[in-house]
Amino acid sequence: TSALSYAVVANVAPAIEFAVIPSEDEADSLEFKARVTDPGSDDLTVTWWGHCSGWSSPRLLYNDPSLGPDPDPSPDIHPRDVTDTQTVVCGDNGAFDWNLKVEDDDGGVTTMSGTFSVDNLPPSLTVSPPAQVSVDEGTLVSLDASAEDPGTDDLTFTWSWQYRPTETQTYYNDGVGPDPPNSPDGTFPFTASDSSSHTYGDDGQYLVTLAVHDDDGGSLTYATTIDVMNVAPTVDVGADAATDEGSPIAFTFGFTDPGFDQPAAGTVEDFTASVDWGDGTSEALAVNEVPGGPGVPTTGTMDATHIFADNGVYAVAVTVCDDDGGCGSDALAVVVANVAPTVYAGPDLAVDEGTALALTFSFSDPGFDFPPAGTVEDFAAIVDWGYGAPDAPTVSEVSGGPGVPTTGTI
């Protein structure tokens, strides 16, 4: 007789011998590894999943790749020992879950899970112009910045111009709102650009800093110095003028300056002015200043009146200086015309023939002697008696001055 007996072979689930779990920076490649073994002849399906991007779809590993799917039953022993890898990238720092499931074709399942950590990286920054900037006072200075975060973080630009309130601008990764914590799947790397401008009203060196922060505490700071140079005032005395000797002539001179008062910095833009009349005299002028501001120059006027003693052409020069030593000048020509004397012969007279007659004539002239210019106002007189040759009597002169005519008698 004979007897049949059956052996029941139980399936053994695959084993995960080890798993290599990386720890890197955001936006770096993270390579996961797992060694999987199976004592039988089963096909294996390896499935990874978790946070971040790059996890592959389930991977089927045939026991005998040359034959395809494992037949059922397949009692021949052909154990498997394979290492499976996954490369993923996380756009944000934090602690994230990973999961691994290995399943054979007979329903045996083994799982493993855990967490992995990703570190934050600060943004990089480029600023134009990159180095110290030199400009004239009153000139608008603009700085352009571009920052790149290797991850998905929002970026905040904080500009600090010396003597000006801080200016802050945030750029969101999704363009809508703040980046939530542990958000590895946003857009990365994330790039944002910002700019800032300011005008300084007085010469000096001014510090500008820019700090760029990501939303996870990473930051980078840029600093530069704005070297602001003084600009001399621009003077405008107006067109050439004409007047008579001895007559007052009035002027209003003007100037502009790109600098201006800066109360926050404690600086002021003050001016002094003087005029050289071209006749050997000069004087200081009172300045009527109209304060300016960013994009608006400081302006001013100076009123002056002068009397020229003698005819001629005089070069009148006006100089305006700011409180930093910058001076500007402009000039005009004043043509002064001579004015003939005014003569007074007195009333008509009657006299007997043969009788001596004494007469005193007088005159006045707006011109006058002016030693600073080296000019003199001299006179000669001729009396025509109505018959015979005229006489040239002696002239007695009383010198005048500004506002006081020269007078004389004959």
Side-chain angles (χ1 to χ4, degrees):
T1 62
S2 63
L4 294 175
S5 61
Y6 296 91
V8 178
V9 179
N11 183 54
V12 177
I16 301 173
E17 298 295 335
F18 68 84
V20 177
I21 309 304
S23 177
E24 297 289 348
D25 296 324
E26 60 184 5
D28 284 345
S29 295
L30 300 145
E31 187 175 66
F32 291 76
K33 291 184 179 181
R35 180 187 175 196
V36 178
T37 62
D38 188 271
S41 59
D42 299 327
D43 297 335
L44 299 177
T45 300
V46 180
T47 304
W48 296 84
W49 73 96
H51 290 97
C52 305
S53 59
W55 301 104
S56 66
S57 56
R59 183 175 302 176
L60 176 60
L61 304 174
Y62 292 127
N63 184 270
D64 187 347
S66 65
L67 298 177
D70 182 42
D72 187 19
S74 53
D76 294 336
I77 298 175
H78 187 202
R80 296 302 309 273
D81 187 338
V82 295
T83 298
D84 193 65
T85 62
Q86 293 282 302
T87 301
V88 300
V89 179
C90 293
D92 202 8
N93 61 296
F96 302 103
D97 295 333
W98 64 272
N99 300 273
L100 172 61
K101 180 175 75 171
V102 181
E103 184 176 5
D104 63 27
D105 59 30
D106 293 317
V109 176
T110 300
T111 62
M112 183 179 287
S113 63
T115 60
F116 63 97
S117 62
V118 176
D119 294 327
N120 186 57
L121 286 176
S124 61
L125 177 63
T126 301
V127 180
S128 178
Q132 178 171 320
V133 179
S134 295
V135 297
D136 291 336
E137 62 182 2
T139 300
L140 181 68
V141 180
S142 295
L143 297 177
D144 299 309
S146 178
E148 180 178 279
D149 190 89
T152 63
D153 299 329
D154 300 335
L155 293 174
T156 298
F157 294 74
T158 301
W159 297 91
S160 298
W161 297 77
Q162 191 172 4
Y163 305 119
R164 196 190 82 171
T166 298
E167 174 186 335
T168 300
Q169 179 68 47
T170 298
Y171 296 87
Y172 298 124
N173 183 274
D174 64 0
V176 177
D179 182 43
N182 295 354
S183 54
D185 300 320
T187 300
F188 64 92
F190 177 58
T191 301
S193 298
D194 196 41
S195 62
S196 186
S197 302
H198 187 62
T199 302
Y200 284 106
D202 205 2
D203 60 298
Q205 289 192 325
Y206 301 90
L207 179 64
V208 183
T209 60
L210 168 62
V212 179
H213 299 263
D214 64 28
D215 59 46
D216 292 314
S219 65
L220 190 66
T221 300
Y222 158 88
T224 190
T225 299
I226 308 299
D227 188 9
V228 180
M229 296 172 289
N230 185 57
V231 178
T234 299
V235 182
D236 182 5
V237 295
D240 294 342
T243 188
D244 292 334
E245 63 181 3
S247 295
I249 181 172
F251 300 90
T252 297
F253 308 119
F255 72 90
T256 63
D257 192 288
F260 51 88
D261 297 343
Q262 298 183 129
T267 65
V268 294
E269 197 79 352
D270 286 336
F271 302 90
T272 58
S274 63
V275 57
D276 182 339
W277 293 111
D279 61 0
T281 63
S282 61
E283 62 180 295
L285 300 176
V287 176
N288 302 307
E289 180 184 334
V290 179
V296 179
T298 297
T299 60
T301 57
M302 296 81 64
D303 295 325
T305 301
H306 192 66
I307 297 175
F308 291 94
D310 203 4
N311 58 292
V313 178
Y314 298 86
V316 177
V318 176
T319 299
V320 179
C321 297
D322 61 27
D323 57 354
D324 296 307
C327 297
S329 298
D330 192 23
L332 78 160
V334 178
V335 178
V336 179
N338 183 58
V339 178
T342 299
V343 180
Y344 179 62
D348 293 340
L349 298 174
V351 67
D352 292 334
E353 60 183 354
T355 302
L357 179 64
L359 297 172
T360 300
F361 308 114
S362 64
F363 70 91
S364 66
D365 192 289
F368 51 90
D369 296 342
F370 198 65
T375 62
V376 293
E377 196 78 356
D378 286 338
F379 303 89
I382 296 174
V383 178
D384 184 345
W385 297 108
Y387 67 94
D391 288 339
T394 301
V395 176
S396 299
E397 179 185 335
V398 178
S399 183
V404 178
T406 297
T407 59
T409 57
I410 305 158

